[in-house]
Amino acid sequence: MSSGTPAPADGRTDGTTVLGPQEIARALTRIAHEVVERNKGAHDVVLLGIPTRGLPLARRLAEKVAQADGTPVAGLVGSLDVTMHRDDLAHQPTRTIGATDLPAGGIDGKVVVLVDDVLFSGRTIRAALDAISDLGRPRAVQLAVLVDRGHRELPIRADYVGKNLPTSASERVGVQLVETDGQDAVVIAAGGAR
């Protein structure tokens, strides 16, 4: 579901690495502190990761928010599948429907922070907003992304950004995470826009 490009399965990094493991960890630590500060704590915050790579990022972010605020991780993080809310289903190959897993307290009256790896056109986030409206009525919805690469097609802006990465439409941004790819890196390479 990512607006980025997955890494090659063999761990190759065809392109230029713009973020390594330490930079990714620092970006998530900074975002966690910003979330806690902006929301005056994390007691009403729910982090919803958008699969595939948004979910492990949300889990990492939950750990860092818990460290910063003393809030227990349990009840802080969940996943949000947006497959059936996408506007490109007719143009994309068949997609596997993923699981939506909300914390026990749900999202009603909470501050929901959507977490994704790359913000590109904004269409995945639009689908996420539609999916949230089917699940409850949060007090507010915020967006945290590891990379904002520009090229928005919809009026969507991230509240928390790990790295702004200006790109051309012909470049590809690939996010690799230990949980899904065996290593942490953000790579920019020539290729089709994505």
Side-chain angles (χ1 to χ4, degrees):
M1 305 295 164
S2 161
S3 301
T5 302
D10 62 6
R12 292 179 293 118
T13 54
D14 297 333
T16 303
T17 300
V18 292
L19 291 178
Q22 292 178 337
E23 292 88 3
I24 291 172
R26 274 195 302 271
L28 291 175
T29 298
R30 181 175 37 79
I31 290 171
H33 285 277
E34 290 173 2
V35 167
V36 169
E37 183 178 329
R38 179 171 177 176
N39 295 294
K40 297 176 178 54
H43 56 279
D44 283 335
V45 172
V46 173
L47 303 170
L48 291 183
I50 300 173
T52 298
R53 288 168 184 80
L55 182 54
L57 288 172
R59 288 179 179 142
R60 291 186 197 185
L61 195 55
E63 292 286 339
K64 292 181 181 293
V65 165
Q67 290 170 1
D69 187 56
T71 303
V73 174
L76 188 59
V77 67
S79 65
L80 180 67
D81 179 64
V82 301
T83 304
M84 296 311 296
H85 295 276
R86 295 188 61 89
D87 62 3
D88 61 355
L89 286 175
H91 306 291
Q92 296 290 329
T94 304
R95 295 174 183 261
T96 303
I97 297 175
T100 291
D101 180 26
L102 298 181
I107 62 170
D108 287 335
K110 303 285 178 90
V111 174
V112 171
V113 180
L114 295 171
V115 182
D116 205 3
D117 57 350
V118 178
L119 179 56
F120 182 32
S121 68
R123 293 186 179 276
T124 298
I125 303 308
R126 187 218 40 91
L129 292 170
D130 287 349
I132 285 174
S133 70
D134 288 347
L135 299 171
R137 190 164 196 267
R139 181 168 38 113
V141 179
Q142 299 169 0
L143 175 59
V145 296
L146 182 59
V147 175
D148 184 344
R149 66 167 294 187
H151 304 284
R152 216 75 75 239
E153 296 172 5
L154 299 170
I156 290 175
R157 177 186 59 82
D159 299 280
Y160 314 102
V161 178
K163 179 154 182 78
N164 284 297
L165 186 61
T167 60
S168 75
S170 64
E171 291 174 311
R172 296 176 74 83
V173 174
V175 172
Q176 304 168 6
L177 298 175
V178 168
E179 297 89 339
T180 55
D181 308 291
Q183 67 179 1
D184 282 347
V186 175
V187 178
I188 187 168
R194 195 159 144 117

